[in-house]
């Protein structure tokens, strides 16, 4: 696997590279609720900003489209950012219409699992603002745990992914 995931499928989404044709949809889902949480996004986030982000995706920062189960509608974005050594950071944002439906959890889990299986021994981290309860809950569901360390971005806490043991049994 390169740093760009070529394609992943789950029950409710398709994860593909972002394409130039996605710029309009990307700017539409990147509203103030997103730009207020993601430090590197312009506010307002325009179609030109979306084109620049898509064109710059590659190397250490790769952004993936999270589409509906048919591969059509853009529901969100997941970034995989290479850090020092064998460390990767996961980040994401989703359209308001896709929130609260489990799509983000399903998509982030698929990307983390693909990254972990393609790079045995790598470290996967995420940064989250302590007041962003929904994002922290999503990260916990996927297997991230607080490290007690500050993230690189001001006001962010660093979380680290821990693979669930193969013998673990979940009881409902």
């Amino acid at each position: 696997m390169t740093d760009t995931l070529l394609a992943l499928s789950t029950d409710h989404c398709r994860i593909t590279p972002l394409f130039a044709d996605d710029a309009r949809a990307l700017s539409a889902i990147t509203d103030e609720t997103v730009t207020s949480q993601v430090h590197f996004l312009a506010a307002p986030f325009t179609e030109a900003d979306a084109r620049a982000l898509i064109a710059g995706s590659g190397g250490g920062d790769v952004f993936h489209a999270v589409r509906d189960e048919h591969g059509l509608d853009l529901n969100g974005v997941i970034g995989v950012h290479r850090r020092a050594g064998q460390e990767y950071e996961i980040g994401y944002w989703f359209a308001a219409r896709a929130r609260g439906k489990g799509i983000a959890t399903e998509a982030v889990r698929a990307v983390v699992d693909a990254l972990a299986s393609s790079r045995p021994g790598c470290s996967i981290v995420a940064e989250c603002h302590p007041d962003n309860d929904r994002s922290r809950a999503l990260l916990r569901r996927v297997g991230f745990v607080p490290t007690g360390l500050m993230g690189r971005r001001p006001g962010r806490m660093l979380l680290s992914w821990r693979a669930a043991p193969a013998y673990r049994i979940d009881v409902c």
Side-chain angles (χ1 to χ4, degrees):
M1 177 176 110
T2 64
D3 284 342
T4 301
L5 303 171
L6 297 180
L8 295 172
S9 293
T10 69
D11 289 342
H12 301 101
C13 58
R14 303 292 175 259
I15 302 162
T16 67
L18 275 170
F19 300 112
D21 290 348
D22 291 322
R24 178 170 288 156
L26 179 57
S27 66
I29 70 166
T30 309
D31 62 17
E32 194 277 333
T33 65
V34 173
T35 59
S36 67
Q37 296 293 323
V38 182
H39 79 286
F40 60 84
L41 296 177
F45 189 78
T46 66
E47 194 170 332
D49 295 321
R51 280 192 300 275
L53 183 131
I54 293 166
S57 188
D61 294 322
V62 180
F63 296 93
H64 302 86
V66 179
R67 304 177 192 285
D68 67 9
E69 65 272 15
H70 306 293
L72 302 174
D73 292 333
L74 182 66
N75 286 327
V77 175
I78 299 176
V80 176
H81 313 284
R82 179 174 259 169
R83 293 172 76 154
Q86 283 293 96
E87 185 174 75
Y88 295 86
E89 181 181 351
I90 298 294
Y92 47 84
W93 69 90
F94 283 81
R97 70 175 185 279
R99 297 177 197 153
K101 298 180 180 180
I103 295 168
T105 300
E106 188 174 308
V108 171
R109 180 175 286 125
V111 169
V112 167
D113 288 349
L115 188 60
S117 68
S118 68
R119 291 174 174 76
C122 78
S123 174
I124 304 171
V125 299
E127 291 189 11
C128 187
H129 193 280
D131 294 337
N132 192 340
D133 295 332
R134 292 180 78 165
S135 188
R136 280 188 304 110
L138 180 155
L139 291 168
R140 278 193 310 271
R141 285 191 298 274
V142 172
F144 284 84
V145 296
T147 64
L149 301 173
M150 295 298 293
R152 292 180 176 177
R153 292 176 237 10
R156 308 289 172 162
M157 300 304 297
L158 185 68
L159 295 96
S160 182
W161 181 74
R162 303 282 188 255
Y167 58 82
R168 183 177 139 188
I169 299 172
D170 289 328
V171 179
C172 303

